[in-house]
Amino acid sequence: MIQPHTATLPDVAFPGRDRLIAAFDAAVLRGDEHAVTAALRDAMCEAIRDPVVQLPACVHTPVDGHYARRELYRSPVHGYSLVAMTWGPGQGTPIHDHDGLWCVEGIWRGTLEIAQYALLERDEERFRFLAATGMQAGAGSAGSLIPPHEYHTIRNASAATVAVSLHVYEAPIRRCARFDPIGDGWYRRVDSALPADATG
């Protein structure tokens, strides 16, 4: 169990917040990372369908130039972090990892294209990937990533609609590695900070 320091932690009020957090708290006590993420996927899908749980209004507003990341809650006991992401039309990510943290992602609004990549070869900071799976995930669905199977992209392919996803990370994620293409199926690893957007 991760024990964060006791400074002020993110905790945004929204309808059904206590019900959502209680379900996630119960899920993270399930045991190993496979049991935890399976329980979180179930809890996430139930929360999306629950009319009592309504994410705060801020998460429905996209940000020009990049998808928005808004940390809504950080558990003072279990250490997990709850981040809402807002995807404007066409916004997405490069291939990236989660800095060694497991994650569960649920789609609350719209549809996202999610592609996972298998690492084939590494030469210092150069990586070669194979596109392993690709899917369109619609509202109400949830998935998980457990290292080392964490390389993926996410994209809102719609030209007109906003998508919203909710992510539960094992711990606060402040950085990740992104992978920039350099040709012949190779990518260069680049450290990337993950700043949070305002929730107000």
Side-chain angles (χ1 to χ4, degrees), residues 154-176:
I154 304 177
R155 178 173 176 262
N156 178 6
S158 172
T161 61
V162 172
V164 175
S165 56
L166 189 65
H167 303 241
V168 183
Y169 293 98
E170 179 180 4
I173 182 168
R174 298 181 179 91
R175 59 179 293 281
C176 71

Side-chain angles (χ1 to χ4, degrees), residues 24 28 32-42 44 67 69 80-85 87 96-107 114 116 142-152 154 165-173 175-176 194:
F24 289 172
V28 298
D32 69 16
E33 57 198 4
H34 296 280
V36 166
T37 54
L40 281 170
R41 286 194 309 270
D42 291 343
M44 182 79 76
Y67 70 93
R69 298 182 71 258
Y80 67 82
S81 172
L82 185 60
V83 178
M85 297 188 188
W87 310 84
H96 65 284
D97 67 13
H98 282 166
D99 200 27
L101 303 174
W102 57 250
C103 175
V104 171
E105 305 168 340
I107 313 300
I114 300 171
Q116 290 185 283
S144 58
L145 294 162
I146 300 173
H149 307 290
E150 59 180 325
Y151 303 108
H152 65 294
I154 304 177
S165 56
L166 189 65
H167 303 241
V168 183
Y169 293 98
E170 179 180 4
I173 182 168
R175 59 179 293 281
C176 71
L194 292 172

Side-chain angles (χ1 to χ4, degrees), residues 15-127:
R17 171 225 174 264
D18 291 347
R19 182 182 297 193
L20 181 71
I21 297 307
F24 289 172
D25 282 352
V28 298
L29 297 176
R30 292 296 183 92
D32 69 16
E33 57 198 4
H34 296 280
V36 166
T37 54
L40 281 170
R41 286 194 309 270
D42 291 343
M44 182 79 76
C45 289
E46 289 180 16
I48 296 169
R49 293 190 301 268
D50 186 345
V52 171
V53 181
Q54 300 290 324
L55 296 183
C58 65
V59 310
H60 299 287
T61 303
V63 173
D64 288 339
H66 65 275
Y67 70 93
R69 298 182 71 258
R70 297 177 173 105
E71 189 173 18
L72 302 183
Y73 177 77
R74 193 180 305 169
S75 171
V77 175
H78 307 295
Y80 67 82
S81 172
L82 185 60
V83 178
M85 297 188 188
T86 312
W87 310 84
Q91 289 180 342
T93 72
I95 299 175
H96 65 284
D97 67 13
H98 282 166
D99 200 27
L101 303 174
W102 57 250
C103 175
V104 171
E105 305 168 340
I107 313 300
W108 284 71
R109 173 181 169 190
T111 301
L112 292 172
E113 290 183 350
I114 300 171
Q116 290 185 283
Y117 291 80
L119 177 61
L120 297 179
E121 190 175 357
R122 178 178 180 179
D123 177 16
E124 295 184 356
E125 296 302 297
R126 296 169 65 243
F127 291 69

